[in-house]
Amino acid sequence: MTHPFLDLAPLGAERFAAIEDRVARLLSTEQDVVITQGEALLPLEGAIRAAAGPGTTALNVITGPYGQTFGDWLRDCGATVVDLAVPFHTAVTAEQIRQAFAEHPEIDFVSLVHAEAATGNTNPVAEIGEVVRAHGALFYLDAVASIGAEPVLTDAWGVDLCVIGAQKAMGGPAGVSAVSVSERAWARMAANPRAPRRSYLSLLDWKERWIDGGRKALPHAPAQLEMLGLEACVERIEAVGLDAVMARHASAAAATRAGAVALGGGLEPYVYEARDAAPVATTLRVPSGVVASELVARALEADPALPVAAGGGVLAKEMIRVNHYGADATRGAVRASLAALGVALSERGLKVDVEGALRAVEGAWR
């Protein structure tokens, strides 16, 4: 038997490099871009292990679960870690970063998540980048959730290591990711004797075997289907226009927030201030006495395709996520999600206004 996905001609180096160039344009960067053959955790971990070591003092910003993970990796690398944790219902500020530098002038590495899809907040990277650049620290940014949903201006913000994945706002595959690397980040890696080498985590291997060779020969067989999926989703963003894609995500976030407030039933935005709310996903706090995971399960019984989920870990009791990203950044997905949550709340005897919520969605959509 034959199948069109299984009988494609091999993906060559020239096309691989062309896809990298398109991703670089999406990231607004002139830096090297490496497309890694795995989910975004691969370059997220690889970049930390390459650039941090026993001589590193890292400021690790925690605005959600991924920030906690980065701190664990940094400590495992032997770095001295200064954690800056803020409540998950808010965002970190540039002033908090500046204060951390004043208290710990030895900091030479900063790790930050742009948008935390798990908690629904987003951080002001442009302002933070100015502070980090003035201090001279290496700037590592997780933009996996934000790319395609809000601006990611890698070079303008002074980001040295910017990691993205295609599976959220870009609407692409989960099995391929990318990282942009500045010249000084490459130099930091080269000077780190503990940077991974001859390893799937090794970015230096990609540089020496791929970039330094003029991108003429791939170091190993690429994940062909995922690469073609990445190419297709970048092509679709280019055709529609990145600004239009970001505007659709912003509308989905504003409409979900407004609709949830109008719905009532004790449901309210988890992130207190709209300016701190991520356009990729809206998180909602459930009323006292209601378990979020049970409410979500009931809503999904009506429509398993709804982009709603309970929060992870301990947040499963109190938080609902409406994941309005990619193909679900639409009026229809937002309306259906709020309507299903309204029905589930009303079954628990809570007063809701589904029609009012739907009107609010339409009024907030731009």
Side-chain angles (χ1 to χ4, degrees), residues 164-234:
I164 66 168
Q167 72 269 29
K168 293 193 185 307
M170 288 177 65
V176 67
S177 48
V179 54
S180 65
V181 187
S182 71
E183 285 300 323
R184 66 181 196 145
W186 284 129
R188 180 80 69 95
M189 294 179 198
N192 180 9
R194 296 181 60 173
R197 302 306 303 266
R198 294 170 296 282
S199 162
Y200 208 55
L201 287 172
S202 176
L203 293 177
L204 284 172
D205 287 357
W206 274 98
K207 183 179 190 307
E208 293 177 2
R209 299 177 60 193
W210 171 243
I211 295 172
D212 291 350
R215 300 191 299 176
K216 300 297 184 183
L218 288 162
H220 55 69
Q224 174 148 318
L225 298 184
E226 287 78 7
M227 286 296 296
L228 294 175
L230 175 62
E231 181 184 51
C233 78
V234 173

Side-chain angles (χ1 to χ4, degrees), residues 297-313:
R298 181 66 187 93
L300 291 176
E301 285 180 13
D303 183 357
L306 290 175
V308 295

Side-chain angles (χ1 to χ4, degrees), residues 66-342:
Y66 279 100
Q68 294 171 326
T69 297
F70 299 161
D72 292 340
W73 288 338
L74 286 162
R75 290 182 177 88
D76 191 53
C77 290
T80 299
V81 180
V82 177
D83 283 326
L84 172 55
V86 302
F88 289 179
H89 60 256
T90 186
V92 73
T93 67
E95 182 54 38
Q96 288 173 305
I97 302 292
R98 186 179 289 108
Q99 183 61 37
F101 287 151
E103 295 173 3
H104 302 276
E106 70 276 16
I107 290 170
D108 60 359
F109 184 97
V110 175
S111 53
L112 175 71
V113 178
H114 188 182
E116 286 268 13
T119 49
N121 55 27
T122 191
N123 292 301
V125 182
E127 299 168 21
I128 292 168
E130 290 184 12
V131 177
V132 175
R133 186 163 53 247
H135 185 76
L138 203 74
F139 193 9
Y140 163 100
L141 184 69
D142 171 354
V144 173
S146 56
I147 186 68
E150 55 187 306
V152 177
L153 304 177
T154 304
D155 292 358
W157 294 345
V159 180
D160 295 287
L161 293 159
C162 186
V163 178
I164 66 168
Q167 72 269 29
K168 293 193 185 307
M170 288 177 65
V176 67
S177 48
V179 54
S180 65
V181 187
S182 71
E183 285 300 323
R184 66 181 196 145
W186 284 129
R188 180 80 69 95
M189 294 179 198
N192 180 9
R194 296 181 60 173
R197 302 306 303 266
R198 294 170 296 282
S199 162
Y200 208 55
L201 287 172
S202 176
L203 293 177
L204 284 172
D205 287 357
W206 274 98
K207 183 179 190 307
E208 293 177 2
R209 299 177 60 193
W210 171 243
I211 295 172
D212 291 350
R215 300 191 299 176
K216 300 297 184 183
L218 288 162
H220 55 69
Q224 174 148 318
L225 298 184
E226 287 78 7
M227 286 296 296
L228 294 175
L230 175 62
E231 181 184 51
C233 78
V234 173
E235 186 175 69
R236 183 166 59 184
I237 290 170
E238 292 172 346
V240 175
L242 179 58
D243 287 345
V245 175
M246 291 191 295
R248 182 163 54 85
H249 283 83
S251 286
T256 304
R257 190 177 184 90
V261 171
L263 181 64
L267 208 62
E268 58 185 28
Y270 184 84
V271 177
Y272 290 177
E273 301 293 337
R275 67 173 181 271
D276 297 334
V280 73
T282 296
T283 47
L284 303 169
R285 192 184 304 275
V286 298
S288 177
V290 174
V291 177
S293 58
E294 294 176 358
L295 196 70
V296 166
R298 181 66 187 93
L300 291 176
E301 285 180 13
D303 183 357
L306 290 175
V308 295
V314 296
L315 295 176
K317 291 184 178 180
E318 62 178 300
M319 179 198 286
I320 292 171
R321 286 172 29 214
V322 182
N323 297 314
H324 44 67
Y325 55 71
D328 288 317
T330 65
R331 276 190 183 90
V334 171
R335 288 171 58 92
S337 297
L338 291 172
L341 291 172

